Amino acid sequence: MGILFEDGNFALFRDGFLRTVELSAVSAFFALLLGTVLAAFRVSPVPALRALGTVWVNTFRNTPLTLLFFAVTFALPRLDVHLSSFTFAVLALSAYTASFVCEVLRAGVNTVPLGQAEAARSLGMGFGQTLGLVILPQAVRSVMSPMSSIFIALPRNSAIAGAFSVSELYSVQATLTDKGYAIFGIFLWIAIAYLFISFSVQQLFSFAEKRLAVAR
Amino acid sequence: MKTRRTIAAALAVLTLTAVAACGKEGSPNDDAAGSAKPQLPTYTVKTDFKLESSPAWVKAKADGKLVIGAKSDQPFLGFEDVQTSVRSGFDIEIAKMIAADLGFSEKQISWQTVASVNRETAISGGQVNYYVGTYSINDKRKATVSFAGPYYIAGQDLLVQKDNTTITGPESTKDKNVCTVTGSTSIDQIKKYGAKVTQYDSYSQCVEKLLSDEVDAVTTDDAILKGYAAKNAGKLKVVGKTFSTENYGVGLNKDDKALRDAISDALKAHEDNGDWKKAYDATLGLSGSAAPEVPALQRY
């Protein structure tokens, strides 16, 4: 139990914790951005964009995340793409999470009655305006809870980055184990830290859900 | 038509053999060692050995099998061939020589791969009778398990490309890319010298990155590095300037003093009769690094 407060372990733990938060936040931002764009692709009237969205989602959603990390960190340098490990991790995590965000948003779009789109169009709005001003705002409100699941999973998925040269929370466990501390104590602290992160994300979403809720 | 086909087939076979032979002759292991390739020692099983005061030994004898924990992914140290499930390496030899002195033949050994994280749990929980796998003796571990030995003194070192002359020791790693395994204690040590550290899940990934020139060196205990140097003989070498001390011991149950003493006796006997040196030469010695001093046992 006292592991955290012995020779410099706290600094290690804190740095790992902050790295996990940072990695999750940056990846969440890009995943949300990319996911929204992909969702727009998938419901767009242009067949090429629809196909692109479908291929992206099916590739990234169905590939194990570890494999994606592998591809990014070991294949990209061979193609002369040299980035920091953190950037590689963000690439893998956001590309993966974006495909889930896309599918959730698309499901949300389907909950918006067709009449809404028709009404928007009859007012003279283009596709971008219809989607951005009328459909998506309503779609987002109806998918808050599946969306929160995705962003609770994201920090947990980020643990994989520890094996690819990002010293995040989970890799702190490996360091402490190597130093010879009892594993139960180590895992207890690591688990508490992950619980804390996930719980915060959950709170954030339930707050947003209450604010955005619409009576139907 | 028929003869032509036969000739073609014969030619094909000849070419294949020639190619195969080429590969063998060109392999770097042969020119150095040649016909005098170091042989593994053989161990005489002490059939009349008795150790009634050790519960683990009594139980192993009754079951007719000794359970030994080892690593399976360290070439020339503790390695398991997945296809044949044959284990080989220096640690495996150490485990075998101890087993022979405890009265167990090779057939009576039941190997079990134990990952580093699970070592203390596996040993104190009695899942293995003893564990041999680059296990450094330290005081924190001594709180849960006990150690016989040390049987090898390792130290943190650097693995580099064979023709690398710029990295001659830890001091020359400043601003160089050095790879090691996630969470390993080697990280703190090398960071002191100003190296840029990359961490992956396994040493083989680091070695892969070293072979493709993406990192300048791989760092960890020299024993592990020697194994990879032996595996990639002709391409990689160990710098040979250690900058830490790790005493590798045989891990066993904390309360089994009788077994600990017996294992220490076995180690001493095989170190004295030359088996230890033979085992080194036939495994880690293939890396081109000479055998280190035989460590003095710490009996407690």
Side-chain angles (χ1 to χ4, degrees), chain A residues 177-178, chain B residues 69-79 89-92 94-95 114-117 119-120 123 131-138 141 147-148 150-155 185 203 220-228 246-251 284:
Chain A
T177 311
D178 210 59
Chain B
K71 294 260 177 90
S72 64
D73 56 351
Q74 295 175 328
F76 294 97
L77 202 53
F79 192 76
F90 182 70
D91 278 345
I92 302 295
I94 295 288
V114 180
S116 296
V117 196
R119 289 187 293 207
E120 283 82 18
I123 296 167
Y131 178 91
V132 190
T134 61
Y135 200 16
S136 295
I137 302 176
N138 77 25
R141 289 175 182 158
F147 290 97
Y151 63 90
Y152 188 90
I153 297 183
T185 39
Y203 289 112
T220 182
D221 296 354
D222 60 348
I224 298 170
L225 296 179
K226 281 176 188 175
Y228 283 103
E246 303 291 337
N247 291 298
Y248 287 169
V250 178
L284 297 180

Side-chain angles (χ1 to χ4, degrees), chain A residues 70 73-74 77-78 162-165 171 174-175 177-181 183, chain B residues 117 121 138 140-141 182-185 197-201 205 208-209 214:
Chain A
F70 239 102
T73 24
F74 284 86
R78 293 195 174 203
F164 296 90
S165 208
S171 74
T175 311
T177 311
D178 210 59
K179 280 188 179 173
Y181 290 99
I183 55 170
Chain B
V117 196
T121 335
N138 77 25
K140 280 196 197 82
R141 289 175 182 158
T182 310
S184 96
T185 39
V197 182
T198 316
Q199 313 162 39
Y200 292 110
D201 226 8
Q205 287 173 3
E208 161 80 13
K209 288 270 182 195
E214 280 167 61

Side-chain angles (χ1 to χ4, degrees), chain A residues 8 21 36 48 56 66 71 85 91 96-97 116 128 130 133 149 153 163 190 200 210:
Chain A
V21 173
T36 316
W56 180 289
T66 316
S85 322
L91 277 181
Y96 179 78
T97 312
Q116 298 271 342
T130 311
L133 297 173
S149 299
I190 303 280
S200 309
K210 270 185 208 121

